[in-house]
Amino acid sequence: MAGGDLSLIHLQNPPSQFNQITALPFPLVLLQEMLPFFHPVYFRVGISFWEEPGKGVLVQGIHKPVTEELVEDKTKENPVSGDAIRRRFLEFYASRSHKVLPSASLVPDDPTVLLTIAGMLQFKPIFLGKAPRQVPRATTAQKCIRTNDVENVGRTTRHHTFFEMLGNFSFGDYFKKEAIKWAWELSTKEFGLPADRLWVSVYEDDDEAFEIWHDEVGVPVERIKRMGEEDNFWTSGATGPCGPCSELYYDFHPERGYKNTDLGDDSRFIEFYNLVFMQYNKMDDGSFEPLKQKNIDTGLGLERLARILQKVPNNYETDLIYPIIEKAAELANISYALADDRTKMNLKIIGDHLRAVVYLISDGVLPSNIGRGYVVRRLIRRAVRTGRLLGVKGGGEDGAFLPAIAEKVIELSPHIDPDVQARGHSILDELQREELRFVQTLERGEKLLDQMLAEALLNAQKSETLPCLSGKDVFLLYDTFGFPVEITTEVAGEQGVKIDMDGFEVEMENQRRQSQAAHNVVKLAVENGGDLAENVHDTEFLGYDTLSARAVVESLLLNGKPVIQVSEGSEVEVLLNKTPFYAESGGQIGDHGFLYVTQDQSKQTAVVEIKDVQKSLGSVFVHKGTIREGVLEVGREVEAAVDAKLRQRAKVHHTATHLLQSALKKVIGQETSQAGSLVAFDRLRFDFNFHRPLHDSELEEIENLINGWIGDGTLLQTKVMSLTDAKEAGAIAMFGEKYGEQVRVVEVPGVSMELCGGTHVSNTSEIRAFKIISEQGIASGIRRIEAVAGEAFIEYINARDSQMKLLCSTLKVKAEEVTTRVDNLLEELRTVRNEVSALRAKAAVYKASMIASKAFSVGTSKTIRVLVESMDDFDADALKSAAEYLMDTLQDPAAIILGSCPDEGKVSLVAAFTPGVVDIGIQAGKFIGPIAKLCGGGGGGRPNFAQAGGRKPENLTNALEKARTDLILILTEKAN
């Protein structure tokens, strides 16, 4: 190989080593065409090509043997692969007594944030003192989503929407010294980063951290930067836990020295490890008080460390993301190595966004127009429109390309989230459906852009100014219809229309501000409950075994504040040391019942009616109710009694919910999963992932399966076991629930096995019967079934029977004849309506014949008849008949605008232009839209005929007057 030419066959079958500079026997243009066929391993190590006169094309590579550096060894893990870095981090802290915990879902159990945006989020209740720590130390590799900087994705070396945050946490155990020393040891010894390339930042007043870094770790003073509150003091909000930070930076260019160093210079530094020393509680007045339990919260960016260790120019070219980019490039027939910066940026956007949407969909977030679903939809649309810019094409007949790229994401997922591969089929199906839906939206956007450009040209013509598309219109096309600004700019430029980029940037900034404010701050606050946490222990739940128990009142809350006693008529929250009442969780609502205070074992002195029970501060049960009699005091013993009939209804519906999930999996597929539930006394509600309405036959099959299982009279089995054992046994986790190391498993043998803390029947026969009462879509890809069982089933059937009897009595037919009788009545109604419509049309035509004489002429070289009139209260169909009559009567060329107010709060408009009017460049559909807007509505149609509506009848007169004025102006100009 040494000194020889490098041919195409050599590139496809790599030699043992690669000369530093080698001449190629073909021109650069041909090389670029052949690159997609070259062995891909070379383009992961930065091979460069260039052309020199007299030498042809030169290639620069490396001296290392391919077998050692480039060819993947299936039997030996690459120590700096993304998966290896993750494993080594967790093992490092596990060896230091940290419990390795799994990543939490991207859907947080926290109403203050939309998505999981930080590794510490799952530990928030512990940091707040609202939940007891399960372990003193923990370490995790947490999936995270942040979209506040989505516009920077692909443009910078480090911004992502989906990323992994490696973290080590201490809950009142070790603190600053250990956190700093271990972070340094991990970086320099475990991962071998050169110590002289590491810089440290500390909070400006944190002398303790500075001294540890300098005196004990040995970092030179010149590589420790004191920074202000904005950069190095972490706060959770206006109040709550907070503390100074210390960050580790990697220096890519130490040769630049120490003078005027800026750690925010992305071309030189990257921050990869952040240590938060949570040591204060910020009070309402802005003062700080030391936390009784000091905590450590750290975050190491996996993609950032992979970039450093793998020695690639940006996070995207690490093995965590680059294979996804390669797949997108392959589908676009592009070489990433030879692509220009804009093309590389677009490929990075696709790689990043596909990671995000695959993991979000796997965690149950489906595309929609609200909340988390909108995040998914927006990322999918950005990926689709970016792919279309690059010419990415799928292999199927429908042209969808996202599933092909997502397959690569799923292939890379096992060590990040093992559930992704199991859900792969449904993820790919959802991506395909959403992409195809969006392509249709893009086509509608193209039509809207045409309309916007036509209006811009018309307005410019009227005002004698340069045509310009407003920033709001450009943003609407971008945000709603997925049009990249560059496409809008290009299409507009072809028609001589400029776009208002300043206005567009204002709209973009408004959206960014709203996104950051709403979704990207983890709020921690030490509320009133924090004081209670020190005085109130977890409530012992007795409700699995009994519906009544003696208990002691540990605390009373009136309007959220602790009190000693509460008198008759007051709304109160009661905390007991133990309770038979079930607190709302897992979709099941809280029990109802009573608390009784007795004296001398017989005399009743107080009665509290309980209407709700909620969990707070971890496992403290809050009984919410009203004092019906007497006075309740802290320290009193009470008899807590659950309403047995209502509890039985809840048990029936909860077990029926488990049976429903099993039946759904059998009938429509195992990939369907729960997306929410409600277990109430009067019904059950079950939300699940599915892309279409269920057929009547499928609903019938589901009901038959469930009622069959009920009839089998199967005994339920309840066990407590480790979470690992439960998952290995095949137990299904309930939506929205968080689980500890020990879990409760509820099994209907042979039918269902789920992790569940709810209450259930002991035998399926207790359910008695099951009936689905509705099935509907509640969001894109989310269906909802409502059903009744047990006593609620009987009530439902009795109510339906009463309604049927009333129908039979009213229609004077038997039950089996009701359908036929209703069909006959509907047919009679249709006939009558048609007759009325025909009469109205005749009346409208007669009215039109009366106003035809009001038509006037416009134009000199070409005379056009114009009629703009109100037609009183005729409906849209009658208005259409009148317009058609007038077109025949006035003859070509003629322009007719008619308006009416058929009902209260309703306007109808019609525009009818004969061919002679359309031919001179005036279209009915485009003309009537702005007129309808004056009446609070809109509409459109064909060039020769269009209808519109509105909700402001009071504006009809002015709207018709504007139509008359505009027609005269336009027709006079065109006809002359």
Side-chain angles (χ1 to χ4, degrees):
M1 183 55 203
D5 287 341
L6 186 65
S7 66
L8 179 61
I9 190 68
H10 286 138
L11 281 167
Q12 289 177 323
N13 299 282
S16 60
Q17 65 179 18
F18 210 109
N19 277 348
Q20 186 170 16
I21 297 181
T22 306
L24 294 174
F26 33 71
L28 183 61
V29 173
L30 180 59
L31 172 66
Q32 291 171 335
E33 292 179 357
M34 293 189 294
L35 274 177
F37 304 100
F38 289 178
H39 197 285
V41 74
Y42 290 110
F43 305 105
R44 296 195 184 100
V45 292
I47 297 284
S48 57
F49 299 88
W50 69 96
E51 197 163 12
E52 289 187 11
K55 294 184 180 180
V57 174
L58 302 182
V59 56
Q60 182 169 2
I62 58 176
H63 285 292
K64 300 288 181 70
V66 173
T67 53
E68 292 180 14
E69 291 291 320
L70 300 178
V71 176
E72 182 181 2
D73 183 352
K74 298 294 184 181
T75 63
K76 184 179 180 182
E77 180 187 52
N78 178 355
V80 296
S81 70
D83 287 342
I85 295 169
R86 184 190 306 107
R87 176 186 56 75
R88 291 168 67 187
F89 179 95
L90 296 175
E91 288 178 352
F92 178 89
Y93 282 104
S95 68
R96 288 154 180 80
S97 304
H98 288 64
K99 175 71 174 179
V100 178
L101 297 176
S103 170
S105 168
L106 288 171
V107 180
D109 185 21
D110 186 333
T112 68
V113 287
L114 199 63
L115 295 163
T116 297
I117 61 173
M120 58 76 66
L121 196 61
Q122 65 171 303
F123 305 117
K124 174 178 170 180
I126 302 173
F127 289 140
L128 285 175
K130 290 187 172 183
R133 69 180 192 183
Q134 301 299 316
V135 292
R137 305 175 180 183
T139 183
T140 64
Q142 176 63 52
K143 302 173 296 181
C144 297
I145 292 281
R146 291 184 189 173
T147 58
N148 55 319
D149 289 323
V150 68
E151 297 304 322
N152 288 326
V153 169
R155 297 179 185 274
T156 71
T157 60
R158 59 183 175 83
H159 281 97
H160 304 288
T161 56
F162 176 88
F163 59 95
E164 286 186 81
M165 189 64 76
L166 309 180
N168 55 288
F169 306 90
S170 166
F171 312 112
D173 186 23
Y174 65 84
F175 196 52
K176 205 171 289 188
K177 181 183 292 187
E178 293 87 347
I180 289 174
K181 287 186 172 181
W182 285 337
W184 185 260
E185 183 182 351
L186 175 83
S187 302
T188 58
K189 294 184 178 178
E190 175 63 34
F191 290 119
L193 298 180
D196 58 359
R197 286 199 173 213
L198 298 184
W199 289 62
V200 174
S201 70
V202 297
Y203 179 53
E204 56 192 359
D205 293 336
D206 193 356
D207 295 331
E208 181 186 5
F210 189 98
E211 290 169 2
I212 295 171
W213 281 116
H214 177 57
D215 298 339
E216 300 190 36
V217 174
V219 180
V221 171
E222 55 268 26
R223 290 211 310 274
I224 305 176
K225 288 277 190 179
R226 290 184 184 266
M227 301 177 74
E229 184 174 341
E230 183 177 349
D231 295 302
N232 276 66
F233 195 89
W234 182 85
T235 60
S236 59
T239 60
C242 57
C245 305
S246 187
E247 296 163 329
L248 276 166
Y249 291 78
Y250 184 81
D251 186 356
F252 291 106
H253 296 286
E255 71 278 2
R256 296 181 186 176
Y258 298 144
K259 190 175 181 180
N260 299 322
T261 306
D262 177 11
L263 293 181
D265 179 2
D266 284 351
S267 69
R268 177 175 178 179
F269 296 103
I270 187 169
E271 176 215 333
F272 67 94
Y273 205 172
N274 183 22
L275 317 177
V276 177
F277 311 124
M278 209 178 294
Q279 63 190 79
Y280 301 116
N281 180 33
K282 190 175 183 181
M283 309 302 289
D284 290 332
D285 61 3
S287 63
F288 297 94
E289 65 175 22
L291 284 173
K292 295 178 181 178
Q293 175 181 293
K294 293 180 172 62
N295 304 307
I296 290 292
D297 160 27
T298 78
L300 183 150
L302 175 60
E303 291 80 5
R304 297 183 181 200
L305 184 57
R307 171 194 173 185
I308 297 168
L309 294 176
Q310 294 175 20
K311 300 180 180 178
V312 292
N314 55 70
N315 297 2
Y316 296 94
E317 295 184 35
T318 66
D319 67 341
L320 293 164
I321 307 174
Y322 190 70
I324 308 166
I325 293 175
E326 273 190 314
K327 183 63 181 180
E330 175 191 325
L331 294 176
N333 197 26
I334 293 171
S335 163
Y336 179 86
L338 295 182
D340 59 32
D341 288 343
R342 175 166 287 276
T343 299
K344 285 183 177 180
M345 179 189 75
N346 286 332
L347 288 168
K348 291 172 186 175
I349 289 172
I350 295 173
D352 170 89
H353 288 9
L354 261 293
R355 287 180 94 206
V357 298
V358 163
Y359 286 97
L360 281 166
I361 293 173
S362 176
D363 279 352
V365 184
L366 298 182
S368 71
N369 289 327
I370 57 172
R372 301 180 183 101
Y374 181 66
V375 173
V376 176
R377 174 158 286 169
R378 186 180 178 213
L379 293 177
I380 289 175
R381 290 184 169 191
R382 289 191 93 237
V384 171
R385 71 191 184 215
T386 304
R388 285 166 69 94
L389 272 177
L390 294 176
V392 179
K393 295 179 181 178
E397 293 182 4
D398 55 25
F401 63 82
L402 293 188
I405 302 173
E407 286 179 349
K408 180 60 69 174
V409 181
I410 294 170
E411 181 185 318
L412 297 171
S413 70
H415 296 291
I416 303 172
D417 183 350
D419 291 332
V420 171
Q421 282 194 326
R423 297 165 183 160
H425 182 70
S426 59
I427 293 170
L428 298 179
D429 284 349
E430 186 60 42
L431 283 172
Q432 182 180 37
R433 283 191 294 272
E434 183 66 13
E435 180 177 353
L436 296 179
R437 275 195 295 260
F438 180 50
V439 168
Q440 295 174 348
T441 302
L442 275 174
E443 292 170 354
R444 291 196 298 271
E446 289 169 354
K447 294 178 182 177
L448 179 61
L449 176 57
D450 289 341
Q451 292 179 12
M452 288 177 172
L453 293 175
E455 289 179 11
L457 289 167
L458 182 62
N459 292 334
Q461 191 175 18
K462 289 180 182 177
S463 60
E464 298 183 354
T465 58
L466 293 174
C468 182
L469 205 57
S470 73
K472 285 189 175 181
D473 284 344
V474 177
F475 180 76
L476 175 68
L477 289 165
Y478 168 83
D479 192 55
T480 303
F481 294 93
F483 262 65
V485 179
E486 50 266 37
I487 287 183
T488 302
T489 304
E490 183 180 339
V491 175
E494 290 171 357
Q495 298 192 34
V497 179
K498 293 185 177 180
I499 66 172
D500 175 17
M501 280 304 299
D502 290 339
F504 172 76
E505 290 298 337
V506 169
E507 297 296 324
M508 285 295 295
E509 183 58 33
N510 288 339
Q511 186 193 63
R512 274 192 288 265
R513 212 178 294 121
Q514 292 169 3
S515 176
Q516 289 172 348
H519 307 313
N520 293 284
V521 177
V522 181
K523 296 180 180 177
L524 298 184
V526 180
E527 302 161 358
N528 290 337
D531 299 327
L532 288 174
E534 298 179 11
N535 304 314
V536 178
H537 303 290
D538 287 350
T539 309
E540 181 184 356
F541 178 58
L542 309 173
Y544 293 136
D545 304 313
T546 183
L547 295 182
S548 64
R550 302 293 295 180
V552 175
V553 177
E554 292 204 331
S555 182
L556 295 172
L557 297 175
L558 190 64
N559 298 323
K561 296 181 179 179
V563 293
I564 300 300
Q565 66 176 28
V566 185
S567 57
E568 185 174 321
S570 299
E571 301 290 328
V572 66
E573 295 177 339
V574 184
L575 279 60
L576 305 174
N577 65 331
K578 53 188 174 182
T579 183
F581 282 82
Y582 182 83
E584 181 176 322
S585 62
Q588 181 177 333
I589 65 173
D591 280 329
H592 290 191
F594 290 90
L595 304 179
Y596 299 105
V597 179
T598 57
Q599 190 174 8
D600 300 329
Q601 303 298 319
S602 59
K603 186 180 178 181
Q604 188 171 288
T605 61
V607 177
V608 185
E609 184 179 9
I610 301 299
K611 285 293 187 181
D612 187 22
V613 185
Q614 296 287 331
K615 283 185 182 179
S616 180
L617 308 173
S619 294
V620 175
F621 286 38
V622 181
H623 305 72
K624 300 183 178 185
T626 305
I627 309 290
R628 295 301 182 194
E629 296 178 22
V631 175
L632 185 63
E633 299 174 334
V634 173
R636 280 282 189 179
E637 188 177 57
V638 298
E639 178 72 22
V642 174
D643 186 318
K645 289 184 178 180
L646 293 182
R647 166 67 78 84
Q648 181 64 18
R649 283 170 170 258
K651 289 164 61 176
V652 162
H653 281 141
H654 207 149
T655 305
T657 300
H658 286 210
L659 299 182
L660 174 57
Q661 176 156 232
S662 292
L664 279 166
K665 288 181 176 291
K666 282 183 175 293
V667 174
I668 64 175
Q670 290 294 322
E671 66 274 8
T672 190
S673 60
Q674 182 179 347
S677 71
L678 171 69
V679 175
F681 304 133
D682 61 339
R683 72 192 189 285
L684 68 87
R685 188 178 72 211
F686 188 80
D687 301 339
F688 58 99
N689 300 319
F690 204 55
H691 60 278
R692 63 166 174 81
L694 270 62
H695 304 309
D696 289 343
S697 59
E698 291 171 326
L699 293 173
E700 184 178 351
E701 185 179 354
I702 289 167
E703 284 184 344
N704 290 338
L705 274 171
I706 294 171
N707 284 311
W709 292 329
I710 292 169
D712 290 340
T714 304
L715 285 169
L716 273 71
Q717 297 178 6
T718 304
K719 303 173 184 176
V720 176
M721 62 179 73
S722 71
L723 180 60
T724 302
D725 289 344
K727 288 185 173 181
E728 288 178 356
I732 298 172
M734 294 292 284
F735 179 84
E737 281 294 278
K738 294 180 71 176
Y739 300 98
E741 291 190 26
Q742 293 294 306
V743 294
R744 184 169 180 263
V745 177
V746 177
E747 181 179 8
V748 181
V751 177
S752 166
M753 180 189 291
E754 299 192 14
L755 308 183
C756 183
T759 61
H760 290 269
V761 298
S762 57
N763 189 301
T764 57
S765 62
E766 293 178 42
I767 300 173
R768 299 164 74 181
F770 174 92
K771 179 68 180 174
I772 294 173
I773 57 177
S774 70
E775 190 275 336
Q776 61 183 331
I778 59 170
S780 176
I782 303 288
R783 309 295 301 175
R784 170 173 290 173
I785 283 178
E786 291 202 5
V788 289
E791 197 69 26
F793 167 85
I794 294 172
E795 291 171 353
Y796 175 78
I797 294 300
N798 286 341
R800 293 290 289 263
D801 186 56
S802 296
Q803 292 166 357
M804 179 59 74
K805 287 177 180 176
L806 181 60
L807 269 176
C808 292
S809 174
T810 303
L811 299 175
K812 297 183 174 19
V813 294
K814 297 177 181 178
E816 59 268 23
E817 298 170 350
V818 167
T819 303
T820 302
R821 179 63 177 138
V822 170
D823 286 341
N824 291 338
L825 287 173
L826 288 174
E827 184 58 37
E828 291 173 17
L829 182 61
R830 278 191 290 269
T831 301
V832 171
R833 282 179 173 171
N834 288 337
E835 291 173 355
V836 171
S837 180
L839 288 171
R840 284 184 175 177
K842 288 181 180 179
V845 169
Y846 176 74
K847 172 77 172 178
S849 69
M850 300 294 290
I851 63 173
S853 60
K854 295 184 179 182
F856 55 91
S857 299
V858 174
T860 54
S861 61
K862 184 176 185 179
T863 302
I864 300 171
R865 302 285 286 165
V866 176
L867 181 64
V868 181
E869 288 294 330
S870 172
M871 290 282 290
D872 301 328
D873 59 354
F874 286 101
D875 63 17
D877 290 337
L879 219 58
K880 179 182 177 184
S881 298
E884 290 171 345
Y885 168 82
L886 288 167
M887 287 177 73
D888 291 336
T889 301
L890 298 179
Q891 299 184 345
D892 194 17
I896 300 143
I897 306 292
L898 301 177
S900 67
C901 301
D903 290 305
E904 185 177 349
K906 189 174 182 180
V907 174
S908 290
L909 291 163
V910 65
F913 295 169
T914 62
V917 174
V918 175
D919 288 345
I920 63 175
I922 307 174
Q923 297 186 12
K926 291 183 178 180
F927 183 85
I928 200 65
I931 306 302
K933 284 183 180 179
L934 296 176
C935 296
R942 303 187 305 274
N944 65 320
F945 194 91
Q947 288 181 285
R951 301 179 301 279
K952 298 180 179 178
E954 65 273 15
N955 293 351
L956 178 60
T957 301
N958 291 337
L960 290 176
E961 186 58 39
K962 177 170 174 53
R964 182 181 288 106
T965 303
D966 288 355
L967 267 182
I968 293 171
L969 180 67
I970 297 169
L971 292 175
T972 299
E973 182 180 342
K974 297 282 187 181
N976 291 335

